[in-house]
């Protein structure tokens, strides 16, 4: 499919629809001269060149890639109308699309019942889950591992609840013994488990933590903002247990703007018990006129939200549904790329694997001392991205010295930590590019 053709079709469909309401006079205050528009557009595209090539497999750094053309066309087509999914009055069509897309997400995780909606981001989605958790356990704290996303600690402060960071094991997953010690003290109401940590892609043992829920009466929230769509590979290259167990969690967060091919502005929160909707109850003098049906704004902390984001996700799911054969194929390719690169690194005499990839994040380093490794990571990162002929874009991750030497006892701990190299292989194209990527990084490490 050709993107420009469908972008033109989007504009044409909008014009056709607009025509059905009859002509009116555009206001002079909004008119812009074509020549000035062209000039400003040239300046815009020039400015935007100051970017990294997120679309290209030579970009193997952070969790960044452009949206799928379906998401672009879905977003743009709806954005020309600019519906607001706060209320049914703001966008009946996109509110319905949001419900359908969220239902598909709930089905993907195995939820039989759910209440959920899209959010602007994973951070806001997690805030909503922790807000409901606090309403249910107002006197208790929230536990998460030291590897959890940094916003959990921040949102605990926003909500005025105590946040407890629990140590992680040698693979960067929450230490269940340490968690249980904490739960025994009786001050925790909710445990956050991360299905795919942002740093290393570690999947925390949701299935084992469920037993603690019964024993200590806590809520279980699963932050699958990054990893959620990998549930499509459960039992097919990935251990099934933690993913299947997510169906029992009290709430789940997933970011379609990470692995769901969407542009930024698309997170999602799902609750297993629809009755938690009562915590959102409010009365708005501005909205909710047209029906007694539930408005999405009545179950969301945010007010205005882009209906276009819902249209983009809905349209993408029509073409690449969240199933093993749909979106699952995209994730499987990235994961194969990560496994292949890990193999190549294992065979390398220059690079070493920091830990085996669980999902599609590869972590690696060069050197024998923490200070040397840190310096090498920094050098490879910068030399890689400033190379004129064959650049490569990586990212670094700072790891604590103790955690490093537990994994790699032969490394000399001459500093309290080190930056290692980290590559998120979230583009399926990485699968055929990974040999080149490896050779390139090896060359840089050899310098
Ligand atoms: C990315 C991420 C978040 C934050 O989501 P945003 O969409 O960036 O706000 C939270 N948790 C995890 C595990 C993440 O990977």
């Amino acid at each position: 499919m050709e993107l420009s053709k469908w972008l033109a079709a989007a504009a044409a469909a909008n014009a056709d629809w607009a025509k059905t309401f009859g002509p009116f006079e555009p206001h002079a205050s909004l008119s812009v001269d074509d020549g000035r528009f062209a000039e400003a557009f040239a300046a815009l595209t020039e400015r935007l060149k100051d970017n990294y090539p997120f679309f290209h497999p030579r970009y193997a750094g952070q969790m960044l890639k452009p949206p799928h053309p379906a998401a672009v066309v879905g977003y743009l087509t709806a954005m020309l109308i600019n519906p607001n999914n706060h209320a049914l009055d703001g966008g009946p069509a996109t509110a319905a699309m949001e419900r359908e897309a969220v239902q598909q997400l709930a089905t993907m995780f195995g939820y039989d019942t759910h209440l959920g909606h899209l959010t602007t981001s994973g951070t806001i989605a997690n805030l909503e889950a922790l807000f409901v958790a606090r309403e249910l356990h107002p006197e208790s704290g929230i536990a998460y591992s030291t590897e959890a996303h940094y916003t959990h600690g921040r949102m605990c402060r926003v909500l005025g609840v105590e946040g407890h960071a629990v140590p992680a094991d040698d693979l960067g997953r929450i230490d269940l013994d340490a968690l249980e010690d904490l739960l025994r003290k009786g001050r925790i109401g909710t445990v956050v488990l991360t299905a795919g940590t942002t740093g290393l892609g570690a999947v925390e043992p949701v299935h084992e933590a469920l037993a603690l829920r019964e024993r200590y009466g806590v809520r279980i929230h699963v932050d699958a903002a990054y990893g959620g769509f990998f549930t499509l590979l459960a039992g097919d290259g990935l251990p099934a247990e933690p993913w299947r167990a997510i169906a029992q969690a009290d709430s789940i967060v997933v970011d379609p703007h990470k692995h769901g091919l969407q542009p930024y502005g698309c997170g999602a929160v799902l609750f297993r018990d629809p009755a938690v909707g009562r915590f959102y109850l409010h009365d708005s003098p501005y909205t909710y006129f047209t029906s007694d049906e539930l408005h999405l704004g009545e179950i969301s902390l945010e007010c205005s939200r882009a209906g276009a984001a819902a249209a983009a996700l809905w349209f993408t799911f029509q073409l690449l549904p969240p199933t093993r054969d749909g979106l699952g194929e995209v994730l499987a390719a990235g994961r194969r790329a990560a496994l292949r690169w890990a193999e190549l690194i294992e065979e390398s005499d220059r690079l070493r694997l920091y830990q085996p990839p669980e999902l599609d994040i590869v972590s690696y380093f060069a050197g024998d001392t923490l200070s040397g490794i840190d310096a090498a990571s920094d050098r490879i990162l910068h030399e890689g991205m400033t190379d004129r002929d064959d650049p490569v874009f990586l990212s670094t991750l700072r790891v604590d010295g103790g955690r490093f030497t537990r994994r790699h006892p032969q490394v000399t701990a001459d500093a309290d930590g080190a930056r290692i190299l980290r590559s998120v292989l979230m583009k399926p194209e990485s699968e055929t590019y990974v040999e080149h990527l490896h050779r390139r990084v090896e060359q840089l490490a050899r310098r």
Side-chain angles (χ1 to χ4, degrees):
M1 61 141 301
E2 203 187 313
L3 182 61
S4 54
K5 175 184 139 193
W6 288 103
L7 291 180
N14 183 260
D16 281 350
W17 175 73
K19 242 187 266 157
T20 64
F21 295 94
F24 66 97
E25 206 53 50
H27 197 272
S29 64
L30 296 172
S31 82
V32 180
D33 171 74
D34 262 350
R36 279 184 51 223
F37 197 103
E39 241 171 69
F41 186 75
L44 171 69
T45 51
E46 191 52 37
R47 294 281 291 261
L48 287 175
K49 285 182 186 161
D50 182 19
N51 257 307
Y52 302 107
F54 307 127
F55 68 94
H56 198 287
R58 67 169 77 246
Y59 181 89
Q62 313 275 7
M63 288 166 192
L64 286 156
K65 64 174 177 181
H68 190 276
V72 175
V73 171
Y75 199 101
L76 185 96
T77 310
M79 192 193 68
L80 290 170
I81 302 164
N82 205 23
N84 184 335
N85 270 19
H86 167 60
L88 287 171
D89 315 83
T94 47
M97 288 178 199
E98 176 164 341
R99 280 210 208 87
E100 288 171 39
V102 167
Q103 172 67 61
Q104 283 176 287
L105 292 173
T107 303
M108 175 178 83
F109 287 114
Y111 266 11
D112 297 330
T113 57
H114 78 278
L115 183 81
H117 57 273
L118 301 180
T119 61
T120 298
S121 67
T123 301
I124 297 297
N126 276 313
L127 172 65
E128 299 217 11
L130 299 188
F131 157 70
V132 165
R134 187 200 65 187
E135 296 300 285
L136 284 160
H137 295 285
E139 307 296 329
S140 307
I142 294 173
Y144 42 82
S145 85
T146 51
E147 306 291 304
H149 199 266
Y150 73 93
T151 49
H152 289 287
R154 176 183 286 178
M155 289 310 171
C156 282
R157 282 167 57 205
V158 171
L159 291 166
V161 297
E162 242 176 63
H164 298 261
V166 177
D169 67 14
D170 288 353
L171 290 174
R173 301 175 301 207
I174 195 165
D175 179 332
L176 287 176
D177 293 329
L179 174 63
E180 187 157 14
D181 285 345
L182 178 64
L183 295 181
R184 267 194 218 102
K185 296 184 185 136
R187 282 166 50 198
I188 300 297
T190 299
V191 175
V192 176
L193 294 157
T194 306
T197 57
T198 316
L200 295 167
V203 181
E204 297 193 322
V206 182
H207 53 302
E208 292 173 40
L210 283 174
L212 300 173
R213 172 169 66 183
E214 314 313 328
R215 212 169 303 152
Y216 298 97
V218 290
R219 271 177 82 73
I220 300 279
H221 169 61
V222 174
D223 179 1
Y226 150 66
F229 287 99
F230 279 98
T231 195
L232 298 172
L233 307 184
D236 176 14
L238 287 181
E241 298 84 4
W243 300 104
R244 302 260 190 270
I246 293 178
Q248 311 298 316
D250 296 293
S251 51
I252 309 169
V253 159
V254 61
D255 261 353
H257 70 203
K258 279 185 183 147
H259 264 299
L261 310 176
Q262 300 307 298
Y264 285 115
C266 194
V269 62
L270 306 165
F271 297 96
R272 194 168 53 123
D273 176 10
V276 302
R278 68 187 183 277
F279 297 120
Y280 288 97
L281 272 190
H282 68 284
D283 209 7
S284 167
Y286 314 108
T287 48
Y288 317 144
F289 307 120
T290 49
S291 86
D292 295 332
E293 238 184 283
L294 192 68
H295 294 255
L296 288 161
E298 289 175 288
I299 53 157
S300 164
L301 286 185
E302 293 174 271
C303 181
S304 296
R305 284 182 307 108
L313 186 61
W314 180 89
F315 188 52
T316 305
F317 280 177
Q318 297 300 301
L319 300 159
L320 291 159
T323 57
R324 178 62 186 83
D325 301 341
L327 200 46
E329 284 297 311
V330 180
L331 281 102
R335 180 165 154 70
R336 285 193 298 268
L339 294 180
R340 176 67 188 135
W341 198 3
E343 254 172 41
L344 293 168
I345 291 171
E346 296 268 36
E347 292 161 10
S348 164
D349 58 357
R350 282 292 150 152
L351 297 170
R352 296 239 283 284
L353 204 56
Y354 179 69
Q355 79 173 40
E358 270 190 76
L359 300 177
D360 60 3
I361 301 178
V362 187
S363 53
Y364 49 101
F365 62 94
D368 308 307
T369 63
L370 287 183
S371 61
I373 289 165
D374 187 78
S377 298
D378 189 57
R379 183 183 63 77
I380 294 169
L381 177 82
H382 285 100
E383 289 182 8
M385 64 186 191
T386 50
D387 191 274
R388 277 184 177 274
D389 302 322
D390 193 2
V392 58
F393 302 84
L394 312 169
S395 75
T396 57
L397 176 73
R398 195 179 159 77
V399 296
D400 163 89
R403 284 181 224 168
F404 202 122
T405 49
R406 269 201 303 284
R407 287 173 173 89
H408 300 281
Q410 75 285 8
V411 165
T412 308
D414 63 346
D416 59 5
R419 277 167 297 174
I420 59 169
L421 292 162
R422 165 177 170 274
S423 290
V424 185
L425 301 184
M426 67 190 320
K427 291 183 287 282
E429 292 83 4
S430 298
E431 195 177 6
T432 49
Y433 197 79
V434 71
E435 320 267 337
H436 179 76
L437 206 54
H438 175 70
R439 265 198 309 279
R440 205 54 205 97
V441 177
E442 234 188 2
Q443 274 168 9
L444 290 164
R446 228 178 272 286
R447 271 189 203 162

